[in-house]
Amino acid sequence: MIFQRSKPLVTTTHYARPSRPMLAQLFNRVGAYVPHEPLDVAMLLDDARRQTSLDDYGDPAFREPLARLVESIEAEAKLHALGRSIMKGRLVALLANRLRVIQYLKDHPEAERKELLRPIVIAGLQRTGTTMLHRLLAADYRARALMSWEALAPVPLPGERPGHAGKRVRNARIAEQGLRVLSPEFFAIHPVEAEAPEEDVLLVDLSFTSQAPEATLHVPSYAHWLETQSLDPAYTFLRNTLRALDHQRSGDWWVLKTPHHMEYLRELLAVFPDAVIVQTHRDPQSTMASFCSMVAHGRGIFSDHVDPREVGRHWLRKVRRMLDRTQSVRDAVAAEGAGAKCRFVDVHYKSLVKDPIAEVERIYAAAGRPLDDRARSAMEFARSRDTQHKYGKHVYRPMDFGLSPALIEETFADYRARYAIAHEREKKPVAAPSATAADTAVRTENPALAVLTGIVSLASKHDSFVPLGPEYRMDGKTVLITGANVGLGKAVAVDLARRGARMILACRSGIPEAGHEIIEASGSNSVEMLRVDLSDASSIVELTNTLAARGERIDVFIGNAGVMPAKATPSAQGFELLYAVHLFANALLARRMLASGVLPNDVYASNGRRGRDVARIVYVASESHRSSKGLDLERLGDVVPYGVTDGTKHYGDSKLALITYATELARRMTDAVGVSVGVHSLCPGPVHTKIARNAPAFIEPILEPVMRMTFAPPEVAAAPVSLLAAGPEVEGETGWYLHMLRKRDPSPWALDPAHGRALWDAVESRMKAWL
């Protein structure tokens, strides 16, 4: 029975929490308590011999790659029970296929002598239209392509008569159905249909030297080792396997396809010197995240441990390597001039989608082959059959893999320029929602409601990101953070110091004790404390003057300090304390550091820094901003009486003002060239602090233990701050708002450009004496 869904599938972005069928979950839960037998090369070889009754594996060059792969799987892949079972079966099947191919060539020596002339080889990056083009070219009645069922079993199985592959096709259909059930999301991204053309990388797998393991498993040591090896033996075996396939069912020419060939064009051309190589091109901004999503979904089939950022890091470097190695071969072929036997054809994704037959004609012209009406009709039919989103819609985002647009752009800038690759997607500004009503989901009218809202948000959180691992370093970076002597700020300072950042802690108290504690906790001596009173504009001016006089260059400014007074309190300049600390202090610090170049930016300092290495500003705000019913900009910062019972309402108003300012500053630090300074804000979620001390006496004994048991400790709540300060996905980005580790829009008031401009003007008016 064909697996069907009641509604169209849309892939998820919860890569770190792979979903799978109930039976698979049960198998893994039970399997977790059952001791497993480690994969062993000798046992795998023996299992394949017993399965086939054959024992000639041919060239022993495959043995070291197999051993390296098995070692890496055992040490690094973290397979769950079902993944281990599947992988063992897969390895034995590959060995059995190798035995059968060698025996087939012994039985049919004429097959190994046949020349495969002028194959068309599609060797483009992943997600650049290679599958679409492959299926078009394979539709030609004269062409020979590898079918999925052949990739799973290249030569006849025992009991199959020549020319009758029914058993292999049935087995492939079962495998197809199994993949649909086990991971419908992966199938939606990369359909593996039993009777459709498939990548010949699965034949390179017979020598255990392909990219397939690193695309489906976390096996970094194997992947890095493989990059140091020659794949000549593997490509010789690939050619011989294709000869065995051609002997069973021949064509006028072969159509091959896999991105793997980009890394090994030298080896490919050694066995197919007259190949026509088609390199497909597409905007890397579209392809990188799409492929990383496919990898992450694929790894989720075998393991419960999927690290999306690791996937992004690994494949960003890998794709860059593939491009470099391809270009090296292309340059060498170009140097040969007219004497070169092979030909390269460049196909752009946009052109392929717009007029695929025209691109096919270009390829055929390079190959010296005509495109007749019969082939053209077959290709048109294939085009109508293989539609996009046939099995579901693929959703993906670069940020999920620690990839910012700026990082992708810088990595592939020369590739884009060399092949004139157009940008597919221009960033569109987010339309501001209507700012006519408060978000009633957040209730902060008093401390008790604020606590209850916090508990609910923790219980119902759906994170977009996982916390940054220790491998994300800030060596050589300088961070200025306010309010770092206690609580959340102190936890952030410890974390960033551990990552190698030089920390400047701007605090009113705790000097030098808090600094010593941070040094001891982080193991870093690069921690300095400077005194500042954020409720006094003159003190802020003194701090920024000191930083400028010292020639400081701040890479990340974190406006963390916050207050929650028991009643309305005037600052040194007569502003209400909530606004003085949350809004005016953060605005004044940023504006003065930008103007002096302490915060480097090409708007103020003309230093030309753009791209992913721009400075960052991170403001710690609160979800309580959603409870605000709007700001009175005419009286912004005026002292309005309040007490404990309604203080949280005014707290939410001040945080709305901060987030609105951050959003407007982000707009002003972005122009046609790009982002000059990234500006972000966040709510860390409910943090166990001393806010309960301002509650009524009869409530405090209840609130304090509830908060201690249910709110996050500062060390946990620091995760979103560290992400915005050090996360690679934020490089070159601006305007992010996080609620804990979930990226979302702030309230409509904060997004409204007109409201942002009006608040900016109000802040400038009140701060003009100190700017």
Side-chain angles (χ1 to χ4, degrees):
M1 183 176 69
I2 295 176
F3 177 70
Q4 294 181 328
R5 301 181 65 89
S6 58
K7 59 182 180 179
L9 181 147
V10 177
T11 62
T12 71
T13 56
H14 299 303
Y15 307 106
R17 300 184 296 277
S19 61
R20 53 183 61 92
M22 185 65 69
L23 283 177
Q25 295 180 43
L26 180 61
F27 186 96
N28 288 333
R29 287 175 185 173
V30 173
Y33 295 98
V34 178
H36 67 265
E37 189 175 44
L39 295 175
D40 177 80
V41 172
M43 291 178 64
L44 295 172
L45 293 167
D46 287 342
D47 286 350
R49 290 190 187 101
R50 281 193 297 271
Q51 189 180 109
T52 61
S53 299
L54 301 171
D55 61 6
D56 185 0
Y57 281 107
D59 187 342
F62 78 94
R63 291 176 180 267
E64 184 178 6
L66 174 59
R68 294 275 187 170
L69 176 58
V70 167
E71 180 183 359
S72 185
I73 290 173
E74 287 297 330
E76 300 162 333
K78 297 181 180 179
L79 301 180
H80 51 55
L82 183 58
R84 177 172 292 277
S85 176
I86 295 172
M87 187 50 57
K88 180 181 179 181
R90 174 66 178 150
L91 293 173
V92 172
L94 289 172
L95 289 167
N97 280 338
R98 184 178 180 91
L99 289 168
R100 291 190 179 109
V101 167
I102 291 171
Q103 186 61 44
Y104 186 91
L105 292 172
K106 287 181 179 178
D107 295 341
H108 305 277
E110 70 278 7
E112 198 166 3
R113 293 192 294 270
K114 183 172 183 180
E115 290 301 317
L116 307 178
L117 300 176
R118 208 152 184 74
I120 297 175
V121 182
I122 304 169
L125 290 176
Q126 304 89 342
R127 319 305 290 173
T128 59
T130 57
T131 298
M132 173 187 176
L133 181 58
H134 187 211
R135 293 191 174 190
L136 284 175
L137 296 178
D140 190 325
Y141 65 97
R142 299 162 294 178
R144 177 70 164 94
L146 177 71
M147 298 292 110
S148 283
W149 61 267
E150 292 178 306
L152 294 178
V155 297
L157 298 175
E160 281 189 325
R161 291 179 293 130
H164 294 80
K167 187 175 181 179
R168 286 183 284 167
V169 173
R170 284 193 300 273
N171 290 346
R173 287 173 180 167
I174 293 171
E176 174 189 337
Q177 188 65 20
L179 180 58
R180 288 200 196 195
V181 173
L182 187 59
S183 184
E185 295 189 19
F186 180 83
F187 201 91
I189 299 168
H190 185 71
V192 182
E193 298 166 315
E195 298 176 76
E198 189 50 86
E199 294 189 15
D200 49 292
V201 70
L202 298 180
L203 300 183
V204 183
D205 259 350
L206 298 178
S207 298
F208 303 95
T209 52
S210 83
Q211 290 177 356
E214 61 189 292
T216 52
L217 304 171
H218 177 62
V219 285
S221 61
Y222 165 79
H224 290 145
W225 173 83
L226 187 61
E227 290 179 356
T228 68
Q229 305 302 302
S230 165
L231 263 61
D232 286 322
Y235 272 83
T236 298
F237 197 80
L238 169 65
R239 179 186 60 192
N240 291 341
T241 305
L242 291 172
R243 285 171 170 169
L245 286 161
D246 195 77
H247 183 261
Q248 300 167 63
R249 181 170 61 90
S250 64
D252 291 353
W253 63 84
W254 274 84
V255 178
L256 305 177
K257 171 254 183 178
T258 176
H260 168 93
H261 292 319
M262 293 185 70
E263 202 171 2
Y264 301 102
L265 283 181
R266 182 192 64 78
E267 289 90 335
L268 175 78
L269 291 174
V271 295
F272 299 122
D274 62 345
V276 175
I277 299 172
V278 182
Q279 186 174 355
T280 50
H281 304 281
R282 188 180 180 186
D283 185 357
Q285 296 288 358
S286 296
T287 61
M288 274 308 307
S290 176
F291 179 64
C292 287
S293 175
M294 188 182 86
V295 169
H297 280 291
R299 288 189 181 181
I301 297 174
F302 300 94
S303 174
D304 289 323
H305 303 276
V306 180
D307 182 350
R309 290 195 189 96
E310 185 278 328
V311 170
R313 282 199 315 275
H314 179 91
W315 283 101
L316 187 74
R317 182 197 65 82
K318 187 73 169 183
V319 168
R320 180 69 249 189
R321 169 182 162 85
M322 291 163 67
L323 287 170
D324 290 342
R325 286 176 67 86
T326 293
Q327 195 58 52
S328 175
V329 172
R330 293 193 65 163
D331 290 344
V333 169
E336 294 181 30
K341 293 182 180 180
C342 70
R343 293 289 182 270
F344 282 89
V345 181
D346 294 298
V347 173
H348 288 253
Y349 180 77
K350 281 190 172 182
S351 300
L352 180 63
V353 171
K354 182 179 179 181
D355 192 348
I357 301 303
E359 296 305 300
V360 170
E361 288 176 336
R362 291 179 54 238
I363 295 168
Y364 274 40
R369 296 180 180 127
L371 178 62
D372 62 25
D373 290 341
R374 180 181 170 187
R376 187 188 301 269
S377 297
M379 291 179 185
E380 291 286 5
F381 176 76
R383 180 187 179 191
S384 65
R385 178 194 60 204
D386 299 320
T387 57
Q388 192 177 32
H389 308 318
K390 183 177 179 180
Y391 296 104
K393 184 177 181 181
H394 184 197
V395 176
Y396 49 87
R397 303 173 300 186
M399 67 181 184
D400 294 325
F401 305 98
L403 303 176
S404 70
L407 173 59
I408 294 172
E409 203 61 32
E410 289 187 16
T411 302
F412 302 111
D414 60 328
Y415 167 64
R416 184 189 294 280
R418 180 188 292 267
Y419 293 101
I421 301 170
H423 288 85
E424 287 185 25
R425 302 172 182 173
E426 295 295 333
K427 278 193 172 182
K428 296 181 180 179
V430 177
S434 172
T436 59
D439 186 335
T440 57
V442 178
R443 302 293 301 277
T444 59
E445 289 89 336
N446 58 60
L449 279 175
V451 170
L452 289 174
T453 297
I455 294 172
V456 171
S457 67
L458 278 174
S460 61
K461 69 175 183 176
H462 300 286
D463 293 342
S464 301
F465 305 97
V466 295
L468 285 179
E471 65 272 19
Y472 294 94
R473 304 286 300 169
M474 296 190 73
D475 301 291
K477 302 287 187 181
T478 298
V479 178
L480 173 69
I481 180 171
T482 62
N485 55 317
V486 294
L488 178 68
K490 188 175 183 180
V492 172
V494 169
D495 181 61
L496 300 186
R498 283 175 179 159
R499 297 178 188 277
R502 172 178 170 246
M503 302 300 300
I504 300 177
L505 319 178
C507 307
R508 186 179 62 178
S509 59
I511 303 173
E513 297 81 12
H516 294 324
E517 292 167 0
I518 291 169
I519 288 172
E520 183 177 355
S522 67
S524 170
N525 288 318
S526 299
V527 178
E528 177 186 7
M529 297 194 78
L530 295 178
R531 190 178 303 277
V532 66
D533 182 353
L534 296 176
S535 68
D536 184 350
S538 298
S539 179
I540 295 171
V541 169
E542 183 178 348
L543 171 66
T544 55
N545 285 344
T546 297
L547 294 172
R550 286 168 34 166
E552 293 286 359
R553 289 296 179 267
I554 304 299
D555 297 285
V556 181
F557 163 48
I558 303 174
N560 164 76
V563 294
M564 183 64 251
K567 62 179 181 179
T569 306
S571 69
Q573 282 72 39
F575 301 118
E576 204 287 313
L577 193 61
L578 285 169
Y579 286 89
V581 174
H582 296 162
L583 175 62
F584 296 136
N586 280 313
L588 188 57
L589 277 167
R591 290 283 278 107
R592 289 186 61 83
M593 288 193 292
L594 288 168
S596 65
V598 170
L599 263 175
N601 69 95
D602 62 0
V603 172
Y604 287 85
S606 301
N607 65 358
R609 286 180 58 178
R610 289 293 176 100
R612 65 190 180 96
D613 199 32
V614 296
R616 306 185 196 186
I617 297 173
V618 179
Y619 289 131
V620 178
S622 170
E623 274 290 277
S624 65
H625 82 279
R626 297 186 191 278
S627 66
S628 177
K629 294 178 173 57
L631 302 173
D632 183 353
L633 298 182
E634 294 295 325
R635 303 179 60 194
L636 187 68
D638 288 358
V639 178
V640 178
Y642 62 81
V644 170
T645 57
D646 61 345
T648 50
K649 170 188 174 300
H650 294 270
Y651 179 89
D653 289 343
S654 69
K655 291 297 187 178
L656 170 62
L658 174 60
I659 297 172
T660 304
Y661 186 86
T663 305
E664 180 62 20
L665 180 58
R667 291 190 193 101
R668 292 172 183 253
M669 301 308 297
T670 305
D671 57 22
V673 178
V675 176
S676 58
V677 173
V679 186
H680 313 284
S681 56
L682 70 118
C683 169
V687 189
H688 180 216
T689 63
K690 297 297 183 181
I691 190 173
R693 70 180 182 271
N694 293 323
F698 70 92
I699 293 181
E700 183 177 355
I702 301 173
L703 288 181
E704 171 57 30
V706 169
M707 291 172 61
R708 185 173 61 253
M709 290 186 295
T710 59
F711 281 21
E715 295 74 20
V716 173
V721 188
S722 295
L723 174 65
L724 290 178
E729 50 267 77
V730 193
E731 291 177 337
E733 290 286 279
T734 195
W736 281 35
Y737 175 77
L738 296 183
H739 177 210
M740 294 181 279
L741 285 169
R742 179 187 176 193
K743 188 173 186 284
R744 61 183 303 194
D745 285 338
S747 77
W749 288 109
L751 289 176
D752 183 14
H755 188 243
R757 290 191 296 270
L759 178 118
W760 179 278
D761 292 341
V763 171
E764 294 281 299
S765 174
R766 285 157 178 74
M767 291 284 100
K768 61 183 177 182
W770 298 280
L771 290 174

